[in-house]
Amino acid sequence: MIRDVLTVAWKEWRELMSLSGGARGGRLSLVILLAVFGVLLPLQSGADWVRSATTVFYWAWVPLMLVGNAIADAIAGERERHTLETLLASRLPDPAILLGKVLAAVSYGWGLVMGMLLLSLVTVNMSARSDGLLLFPARIAVGAPLLALLGAGLAAAAGVLVSLRAATVRHAAQALSVGILLLIFVPVFLAESMPDAWKARAASWLMTAGADRIAWSAAAGLAGLDLALMGLALARFRRVRLIVD
Amino acid sequence: MSSAIIRTDQLTRAFGGIKAVDGLDLEVPAGVVFGFLGPNGAGKTTTIRLLLGLLEPSGGRARVLGHDTRTEAGAIRERAGALLEHHGLYERLSAEDNLAFYARIWGLGAAERRNRVRELLESLGLWERRREAVGKWSRGMRQRLAVARALLHRPALLFLDEPTAGLDPVAASHLREQLAALVAREGVTVFLTTHNLAEADRLCHRVGVIKQGRLVAVGHPDELKARSATRLEIRGRAFTDALVAALSRQPGVERAALMNGRMVIDMAEAADSSPLVAMIVGSGVAVDEVRRDKSSLEDVFLTLMEEDR
Ligand SMILES: Nc1ncnc2c1ncn2[C@@H]1O[C@H](COP(=O)(O)OP(=O)(O)OP(=O)(O)O)[C@@H](O)[C@H]1O
Ligand SMILES: [Mg+2]
């Protein structure tokens, strides 16, 4: 099973790396992302870049689009390019196909985020000219990769769910952006419609909790959501439901 | 136990109102190339999907390689190879990577993988071009590569869904020759769909004809040909309408008519033509030539398609 997962991931990586593959407009957006998060924003904040805990929150949502698009390409894209059915006719078990694709997309998105983090460190150190090396404090160095991973997992699971019946990558991408908007607005809406007493309590918790507690709670919430959506994706990813003409 | 590799029992699949496959009873023995013939929309692709467990039947059942398609499809796919409606190649990847991926899927070790890929690509004339991205290839080359991919793991059963569709006649006949050679060498049982009758005639030991989801005939191509009408064509002078009418009434004659001054008689299977010729000569016709046509598989097919329209 693990070998099958790695086989599928190998192929996905191969396609992501192939010249015309991951690129096709994708390459430009990669360069822009690297420039914004690896160079521009760090330049703007200077030494604060490594000190402020708020940067951690970037890393949770930067991988969303990257991973979502990669997974839509891997499932809806295979259907659109008529390679999915042949893959489904092979001996690979359903979960191995799904997990291989998820593994490739998540490692791709997460790897890029790690690249941005490192690049931003280089940028800050070259521009800030402070004495000594500027490094992230330990909790950011742990928290940022963790949040990035959870964000990537969320996008992957959501990407699978919208790709199950989508005939083309475009359809999947559209559904995915709606999905991500819902993920943002449903909690906001729920928060808004809470009784006033709850709101007050939540507000006072947010005031006193501090960035760390908030970040860890967010991470726990994300992890729960990741697991739930991935479980749903695994349950729904069945060959006999995947062939749509 | 018989040695049927595929056995279906009232296999049915409906999409909404239409039954794409309708009460199919089919048996494919081991070691044959079975041709599944039918016009567009007859249910050929749907049948393959059902046999591979990619679609669930809405009725009936099927056993393939000894396994039930509903409950043990994984075991079927383990020992089957497939070239489906679309070639299913990754066009961004090279030919070599396409095969490497499927070789890994089937768990071929590195050395075996190299040998097998080389052997297949060489026999299909693609070895020199293995490093090129498949997206730039001609349709015929892709189709050949897809054949290599389907045979990579030495499957016991090979599904080919219209393997020569969309190829020009030269490429199609080339692929047919290569398929025939490979299939003989590998000793694999083949389930091949086509609406090309020359293909069925060239490759298949047994054919089944499907129409609107139902099996309308099955047998060796020659058996099927023998079963259909035989045509007798007589050139001569002084045919009369009375003779045409008399011939039409003879046992075994389905139709007699004058066409372009020639007498054309369609006879039922296995009917004897000599009494008819004697009758024509006896009526005073000066006979120049009598020709007896064996019907082609195409005639059989067209007859089957026209019946009970
Ligand atoms: N997924 C599906 N959803 C709805 N209808 C379908 C589906 N698949 C097949 N059909 C219908 O079932 C019938 C049989 O289709 P099928 O593709 O099996 O025919 P075929 O014999 O392979 O035809 P062709 O020679 O054109 O490939 C057709 O009427 C088709 O429209
Ligand atoms: Mg078809």
Side-chain angles (χ1 to χ4, degrees):
Chain A
M1 174 73 176
I2 289 177
R3 205 195 61 195
D4 291 342
V5 172
L6 292 177
T7 298
V8 174
W10 173 85
K11 191 281 286 178
E12 295 299 332
W13 262 103
R14 218 67 207 190
E15 275 204 295
L16 278 169
M17 293 300 104
S18 70
L19 280 175
S20 53
R24 220 185 294 164
R27 178 161 304 170
L28 184 63
S29 47
L30 283 190
V31 170
I32 294 175
L33 273 174
L34 279 171
V36 169
F37 290 94
V39 181
L40 286 181
L41 287 176
L43 272 183
Q44 227 170 35
S45 5
D48 274 350
W49 181 256
V50 293
R51 286 191 215 117
S52 150
T54 49
T55 57
V56 164
F57 292 100
Y58 288 144
W59 309 116
W61 69 262
V62 168
L64 287 182
M65 270 337 222
L66 285 171
V67 174
N69 287 338
I71 203 91
D73 190 69
I75 299 175
E78 278 221 32
R79 178 180 288 128
E80 186 176 354
R81 296 185 293 272
H82 302 299
T83 52
L84 186 62
E85 194 176 352
T86 300
L87 185 64
L88 297 177
S90 78
R91 56 160 286 284
L92 291 173
D94 298 327
I97 296 176
L98 177 62
L99 293 176
K101 287 175 181 296
V102 166
L103 176 65
V106 167
S107 62
Y108 165 76
W110 191 74
L112 274 171
V113 169
M114 292 303 101
M116 289 174 204
L117 268 171
L118 289 179
L119 185 60
S120 74
L121 265 190
V122 173
T123 308
V124 170
N125 277 291
M126 285 187 22
S127 66
R129 271 186 312 253
S130 75
D131 3 287
L133 210 53
L134 286 172
L135 286 175
F136 289 112
R139 55 201 207 296
I140 296 184
V142 173
L146 181 69
L147 276 179
L149 191 60
L150 292 173
L154 183 68
V160 174
L161 290 174
V162 301
S163 296
L164 286 173
R165 311 284 301 169
T168 64
V169 183
R170 182 181 291 268
H171 286 147
Q174 279 165 355
L176 195 60
S177 29
V178 173
I180 288 176
L181 283 181
L182 283 180
L183 272 176
I184 295 169
F185 283 114
V186 166
V188 171
F189 176 76
L190 286 180
E192 282 298 318
S193 53
M194 278 193 305
D196 284 345
W198 291 21
K199 271 191 210 166
R201 231 195 281 169
S204 75
W205 181 80
L206 281 174
M207 302 290 264
T208 55
D212 274 13
R213 286 269 301 279
I214 297 174
W216 287 119
S217 314
L222 258 182
L225 201 56
D226 274 19
L227 285 179
L229 287 186
M230 198 57 80
L232 187 62
L234 272 170
R236 300 206 48 201
F237 193 87
R238 294 268 174 271
R239 287 174 150 73
V240 289
R241 298 206 203 144
L242 284 173
I243 292 176
V244 208
D245 281 333
Chain B
M1 280 303 293
S2 82
S3 62
I5 286 230
I6 298 174
R7 185 194 299 274
T8 70
D9 175 18
Q10 287 296 303
L11 189 65
T12 301
R13 170 70 201 216
F15 293 107
I18 48 166
K19 286 184 173 167
V21 174
D22 190 1
L24 189 67
D25 284 319
L26 195 66
E27 211 171 282
V28 176
V32 305
V33 178
F34 185 87
F36 206 41
L37 278 168
N40 291 134
K44 304 182 294 293
T45 298
T46 305
T47 303
I48 289 191
R49 287 173 169 171
L50 289 169
L51 294 178
L52 277 165
L54 301 178
L55 275 181
E56 277 174 346
S58 33
R61 65 185 62 77
R63 291 184 79 78
V64 179
L65 294 162
H67 301 284
D68 189 285
T69 58
R70 248 184 238 265
T71 52
E72 306 161 303
I76 296 171
R77 291 187 291 262
E78 191 82 44
R79 293 176 54 216
L83 165 49
L84 303 174
E85 208 173 5
H86 301 282
H87 54 67
L89 299 164
Y90 296 98
E91 304 203 339
R92 301 165 183 171
L93 301 184
S94 68
E96 210 169 29
D97 278 349
N98 268 286
L99 293 188
F101 175 45
Y102 276 88
R104 280 164 192 253
I105 289 181
W106 301 106
L108 270 57
E112 190 188 1
R113 185 160 80 218
R114 266 195 308 276
N115 293 338
R116 184 70 175 151
V117 165
R118 176 160 198 160
E119 173 193 15
L120 285 169
L121 286 185
E122 278 179 345
S123 48
L124 289 161
L126 296 170
W127 176 247
E128 307 298 329
R129 309 190 60 173
R130 65 191 180 281
R131 300 245 155 78
E132 295 170 19
V134 173
K136 302 196 175 70
W137 279 12
S138 74
R139 214 185 157 98
M141 290 171 69
R142 286 184 221 177
Q143 215 56 11
R144 278 185 275 154
L145 182 62
V147 168
R149 184 204 54 219
L151 284 172
L152 210 50
H153 55 294
R154 303 182 194 280
L157 172 62
L158 177 63
F159 289 98
L160 298 170
D161 196 356
E162 305 196 23
T164 59
L167 302 190
D168 68 54
V170 179
S173 117
H174 189 48
L175 179 60
R176 276 197 282 277
E177 294 314 312
Q178 287 175 323
L179 267 178
L182 276 173
V183 161
R185 192 175 84 199
E186 310 253 326
V188 54
T189 304
V190 178
F191 186 91
L192 173 146
T193 75
T194 182
H195 44 233
N196 181 323
L197 297 137
E199 185 158 300
D201 227 359
R202 168 73 187 82
L203 290 173
C204 303
H205 310 129
R206 249 177 111 71
V207 294
V209 182
I210 185 179
K211 177 182 164 189
Q212 288 168 8
R214 304 192 134 269
L215 193 67
V216 290
V218 64
H220 189 279
D222 290 339
E223 260 168 60
L224 285 193
K225 287 182 211 163
R227 248 166 60 180
S228 84
T230 305
R231 174 166 287 192
L232 214 57
E233 230 181 85
I234 298 115
R235 283 205 309 139
R237 287 177 305 273
F239 291 117
T240 61
D241 286 343
L243 177 61
V244 173
L247 284 167
S248 301
R249 285 191 302 269
Q250 291 304 302
V253 172
E254 280 174 354
R255 195 174 68 113
L258 281 174
M259 286 162 90
N260 294 329
R262 268 175 270 186
M263 174 75 77
V264 174
I265 305 173
D266 285 332
M267 297 181 307
E269 49 181 303
D272 189 4
S273 56
S274 47
L276 301 178
V277 178
M279 195 174 150
I280 294 168
V281 173
S283 78
V285 171
V287 173
D288 290 330
E289 186 188 355
V290 177
R291 227 175 63 207
R292 196 187 157 113
D293 267 347
K294 203 164 156 50
S295 50
S296 69
L297 202 51
E298 179 139 8
D299 297 328
V300 182
F301 186 71
L302 291 175
T303 315
L304 284 168
M305 289 310 123
E306 270 160 18
E307 273 170 13
D308 56 64
R309 258 267 160 84

